[in-house]
Amino acid sequence: MLIESGIAFNRYALRLKNSMVRLLVLGMALVFLVSTAQGQTSDPSEEQEDDLRSYFMTGPPPRGGYSYLMQAQISAPHLLLNEANARAFDAIVQGEFSWQRLVFPKFYLGLQGRYTAFNIFYPPIAPGTNNTGISDIVSHTWAVGPKISYMWVDKSGVAFMPSLSGGYSEIRYTGIVQMDYTGTLFQRTVQDRGWYLSGWAKLLYFPFEDLNAALSMGAGLTYFSHQFSKSAVDLDGMDELQNLSDNGATLHLDLGLGILVFIGRRR
């Protein structure tokens, strides 16, 4: 029992370490892109500078705030709720994009699109009850729905932004390999639809004086009504999953980095 617990802990630590490495690489890439953009900025003529200022609204933030908010984020999800699901799959990536409008002071409302991917963690060979062969299963989840955000900005240039989103979601499991009665291997796909609800808490940093662009770092929780089934994807023959329950919907913890751009002066 102690050995099994130690192995499980080591695997969880490995997953967490891999996710932190991914976030570190993403953060370094993000800083590099911002630094490159700053280094390549040339001094435009006065007319071009006025045009840029009127488009990007540089200078002090307008009294009424910016009219629109565009967000792009990459994160690493960690499955939590369904035991068999959390054991069988490891995160690949989660990316999301949203466009929101200022509807009340400090409140933004709009639409969000999201893509999430997990792949089978270990082992890659998963013999099932239906003559399953070597499977390299990947789950793809698409989601779209409304999003509302609140932003509180400190004079130091650091801000706090909680947000809530939800709507329609669809998942597909690909790479499920089976063998027919002739001994030929073939692949099939399992698909399910449902709804999702996601909440985030982000810390924002504004690297420019005009406060219309920010970098974000945060954590969130995503609930998806889809229930992972071992038998549906032919993983019920995997020894390490036999004693784990596959009851419960999909829940994952998300750790992410992002970019926010505010557009349009609100009079």
Side-chain angles (χ1 to χ4, degrees):
M1 181 64 70
L2 291 177
I3 295 177
E4 293 178 354
S5 300
I7 294 175
F9 176 79
N10 289 335
R11 285 172 179 163
Y12 177 79
L14 177 61
R15 292 188 183 186
L16 185 59
K17 177 183 177 181
N18 291 338
S19 297
M20 296 305 296
V21 170
R22 292 193 192 102
L23 287 175
L24 179 61
V25 172
L26 290 173
M28 294 176 63
L30 195 59
V31 172
F32 173 77
L33 290 175
V34 173
S35 300
T36 302
Q38 288 179 317
Q40 292 179 350
T41 302
S42 59
D43 294 333
S45 65
E46 293 183 1
E47 182 178 355
Q48 291 175 333
E49 186 175 355
D50 290 340
D51 292 339
L52 289 174
R53 286 182 180 277
S54 64
Y55 183 78
F56 289 104
M57 302 304 172
T58 56
R63 184 175 182 180
Y66 292 100
S67 297
Y68 299 98
L69 169 59
M70 180 176 63
Q71 296 188 61
Q73 179 173 270
I74 296 179
S75 56
H78 297 265
L79 290 164
L80 299 174
L81 189 59
N82 189 305
E83 292 181 346
N85 194 13
R87 176 64 188 88
F89 288 90
D90 191 18
I92 299 178
V93 69
Q94 179 170 265
E96 54 188 74
F97 178 84
S98 64
W99 179 271
Q100 298 172 272
R101 179 180 176 84
L102 186 67
V103 290
F104 296 106
K106 301 182 181 181
F107 282 92
Y108 289 85
L109 178 64
L111 191 65
Q112 174 184 266
R114 170 189 286 188
Y115 169 75
T116 309
F118 291 90
N119 66 347
I120 189 169
F121 180 61
Y122 178 85
I125 301 178
T129 57
N130 298 321
N131 297 321
T132 301
I134 299 175
S135 296
D136 186 14
I137 303 175
V138 179
S139 70
H140 309 267
T141 304
W142 295 268
V144 62
K147 178 179 182 178
I148 185 170
S149 302
Y150 171 84
M151 187 177 67
W152 174 84
V153 183
D154 186 70
K155 294 181 180 179
S156 63
V158 177
F160 174 69
M161 174 177 281
S163 62
L164 186 65
S165 63
Y168 171 81
S169 191
E170 176 178 323
I171 187 170
R172 291 184 182 180
Y173 294 93
T174 62
I176 304 172
V177 179
Q178 287 186 292
M179 182 183 298
D180 60 19
Y181 66 94
T182 65
T184 303
L185 293 177
F186 66 97
Q187 290 191 5
R188 68 183 184 90
T189 300
V190 174
Q191 181 176 333
D192 189 22
R193 299 179 178 88
W195 59 273
Y196 83 100
L197 184 65
S198 179
W200 273 85
K202 301 177 184 178
L203 287 177
L204 278 58
Y205 171 67
F206 291 83
F208 309 111
E209 293 181 359
D210 53 27
L211 298 180
N212 72 326
L215 305 178
S216 69
M217 177 179 64
L221 280 175
T222 299
Y223 176 89
F224 180 22
S225 61
H226 164 73
Q227 178 173 323
F228 168 77
S229 171
K230 293 181 289 186
S231 60
V233 295
D234 294 326
L235 293 180
D236 45 342
M238 182 185 291
D239 293 338
E240 299 188 12
L241 298 183
Q242 288 183 352
N243 296 326
L244 298 180
S245 171
D246 58 2
N247 294 325
T250 302
L251 178 70
H252 50 85
L253 170 68
D254 308 317
L255 303 173
L257 301 171
I259 300 176
L260 297 86
V261 178
F262 297 86
I263 304 173
R265 186 182 297 270
R266 184 179 177 89
R267 301 294 181 181

